[in-house]
Amino acid sequence: MIESGPTEIPVTLPTARPEGRPFDPPAELAALRARTPLTPMRFPDGHLGWLATGHAEVRAILADSRFSTRYEISHYALADTGPIPPALPGDMLGIDAPAHTRYRKLLAGSFTVRRMRQLTERIEQHTAHHLDAMESAGGPVDLVEAFANPIPALVICELLGVPDADRDAFRTRMAVANEMDLPMDERMAAFAEGQNYLRELVRATRAAPTDDLLGELAISDLTDDELAGVAALLLGAGLETTANMLALGTFALLTHPDQLAALRADPDIIDRAVEELLRYLTITPTGSRTALEDVQIGGRVVRAGQTVALSIQAANRDPARFEDPDTLDIRRSAVGHIGFGHGIHQCLGQQLARVELRVALPALLTRFPSLRLAIAPQDVPLRHDMDIYGVHRLPVTW
Ligand code: HEM
């Protein structure tokens, strides 16, 4: 058993991606992982915890109930923005079992593979509609604005029952809430405004039940605040994640012409291609958990109260788990990637995200056989400043 000794200098979380390689994790992560899967890390608030980079270790921690996801005991933040408040009602990502189980059980029934497949037709319709609009506008267009953002937004709003007219205002607030450079109180205020809107929506749904997801949950024993919190989590996740996968995934394909050609030649490999893009791009690069008791892992002892930053991006590029991990290979089986997390908090919306990606990406490539970037790849503005990675804009033409 090795423990961190005085000779080990704690690292800080590497966040800078290598120059000119927007899809690759920070280079230091590979060096750390090669040395040890768990390395002492100094958090911005001064806390001495750990950084996990090995696939097996990150996965094991995510599955281990001796590690908590509770925000208020975590030291994980990219800047010392002050104490992290506990999860608001309904935010199941920030609570442990058994409180978490209650939400998860209620929602699992609404997010089944079958139900998500039933949505395929609606997703196809939204996709075709946005492709038509792009075609008639003519290139160049910003793919983020014209395609990647609106499709998942329409789908999640429709699924929940958020009126179209309210979508943009809600989206702006959530973008502020997710901006890592802003002070925590400003982020929380934006989040609270979003919550107030949703609370009103919940009250309206309870008064006149609808046949969408919110209407379904309105007859459960969740309080108004809990239900508004659930809706906020689903909307936040539904608006930000798949949208970034669509835009960043397209950027990756356009800059890997061999992979693009392979997908065009054999559209049947789309399921594999989507899994590989999820692995290779890992748009939620880092998570964290805090030990509730002393735990031995990766040849280390994580002490009770220590936070472990989990590098999901390093884990998804671990050569011990994936052959030639830094190569985008859409024909490979990327099964076992943890791009949707793992354990009890594994992404609730993963089947929805998969259906959206499997429908929208091939439709885009089929509609525009000569799709290409309208600016140099190095000029594409990257979301270095956000929790969820991606591109701010993706000018394309055809
Ligand atoms: C949880 C990624 C799409 C809803 C997670 C986690 C990851 C993730 C990594 C686990 C976080 C952790 O354990 O700390 C992604 C990616 C997506 C995506 C990469 C798109 C490509 C969605 C969508 C929805 C959604 C579309 C909603 C409709 C959720 C929820 C949780 C979650 C509610 C928390 C589950 C729980 O705590 O039990 N997601 N997600 N996600 N995701 Fe997603």
Side-chain angles (χ1 to χ4, degrees):
M1 178 66 47
I2 315 161
E3 287 203 49
S4 73
T7 51
E8 263 187 295
I9 300 165
V11 296
T12 51
L13 184 69
T15 52
R17 289 171 188 260
E19 190 64 38
R21 283 161 44 207
F23 311 116
D24 282 348
E28 298 92 321
L29 287 174
L32 287 171
R33 190 186 51 220
R35 200 160 53 79
T36 164
L38 227 72
T39 193
M41 177 175 139
R42 181 74 67 190
F43 288 70
D45 67 355
H47 173 72
L48 181 63
W50 301 89
L51 169 62
T53 48
H55 183 278
E57 290 73 18
V58 173
R59 196 169 179 276
I61 291 170
L62 286 170
D64 191 330
S65 60
R66 293 172 297 173
F67 285 96
S68 168
T69 174
R70 274 160 49 215
Y71 306 144
E72 69 275 26
I73 60 166
S74 171
H75 295 268
Y76 179 73
L78 289 190
D80 187 9
T81 45
I84 308 173
L88 291 167
D91 180 0
M92 72 183 119
L93 196 46
I95 52 174
D96 299 329
H100 168 264
T101 324
R102 170 173 169 251
Y103 288 108
R104 191 78 195 202
K105 272 196 183 142
L106 266 176
L107 282 158
S110 306
F111 276 84
T112 55
V113 178
R114 201 171 133 259
R115 177 134 190 209
M116 296 308 130
R117 289 221 177 105
Q118 285 169 352
L119 275 175
T120 305
E121 206 174 308
R122 287 301 290 151
I123 297 170
E124 283 168 354
Q125 287 163 0
H126 290 312
T127 303
H129 173 77
H130 284 82
L131 292 174
D132 290 347
M134 276 172 66
E135 204 170 355
S136 52
V141 302
D142 173 14
L143 195 80
V144 172
E145 187 85 32
F147 186 77
N149 277 352
I151 297 170
L154 279 167
V155 174
I156 192 69
C157 287
E158 221 169 83
L159 188 66
L160 270 165
V162 174
D164 286 0
D166 301 339
R167 234 178 39 220
D168 284 347
F170 184 81
R171 194 187 160 79
T172 314
R173 293 192 193 103
M174 292 313 287
V176 173
N178 285 331
E179 196 152 336
M180 290 189 297
D181 293 343
L182 292 177
M184 192 57 87
D185 52 353
E186 205 171 310
R187 294 176 61 177
M188 293 305 293
F191 189 78
E193 279 176 32
Q195 290 276 102
N196 285 342
Y197 164 73
L198 290 172
R199 223 171 279 127
E200 288 304 313
L201 186 65
V202 162
R203 280 193 203 114
T205 309
R206 283 214 152 120
T210 46
D211 61 1
D212 43 52
L213 187 61
L214 218 50
E216 226 169 71
L217 294 172
I219 54 169
S220 68
D221 66 349
L222 294 179
T223 64
D224 284 2
D225 278 359
E226 287 172 336
L227 193 44
V230 168
L233 180 65
L234 294 178
L235 273 171
L239 292 172
E240 289 286 318
T241 51
T242 316
N244 280 295
M245 266 309 293
L246 278 173
L248 193 66
T250 306
F251 183 27
L253 288 171
L254 293 180
T255 49
H256 290 79
D258 57 328
Q259 299 299 305
L260 180 62
L263 186 54
R264 284 191 188 284
D266 184 5
D268 287 348
I269 58 172
I270 186 62
D271 291 9
R272 275 187 177 226
V274 164
E275 294 313 305
E276 171 64 349
L277 286 168
L278 287 161
R279 179 196 75 84
Y280 183 73
L281 300 172
T282 311
I283 56 162
T284 52
T286 321
S288 78
R289 293 292 188 268
T290 301
L292 295 172
E293 54 187 90
D294 293 358
V295 181
Q296 293 186 9
I297 190 150
R300 308 284 195 163
V301 178
V302 176
R303 297 281 176 212
Q306 285 189 316
T307 294
V308 188
L310 304 171
S311 180
I312 300 179
Q313 57 180 343
N316 275 344
R317 298 287 188 101
D318 187 344
R321 182 64 184 77
F322 301 102
E323 210 182 305
D324 203 5
D326 293 322
T327 299
L328 174 67
D329 175 5
I330 60 163
R331 291 192 189 86
R332 82 159 81 216
S333 164
V335 170
H337 75 76
I338 51 170
F340 285 123
H342 181 66
I344 63 165
H345 293 281
Q346 193 181 45
C347 182
L348 181 75
Q350 60 184 286
Q351 299 308 344
L352 176 59
R354 286 192 169 105
V355 174
E356 291 181 325
L357 293 167
R358 288 170 185 173
V359 168
L361 277 177
L364 172 72
L365 299 179
T366 307
R367 180 70 72 99
F368 301 112
S370 62
L371 190 75
R372 59 189 182 278
L373 290 178
I375 58 173
Q378 63 271 21
D379 293 336
V380 172
L382 303 166
R383 286 171 50 109
H384 286 304
D385 46 343
M386 309 298 271
D387 279 339
I388 297 169
Y389 189 59
V391 295
H392 287 295
R393 289 185 306 112
L394 191 71
V396 294
T397 193
W398 51 90

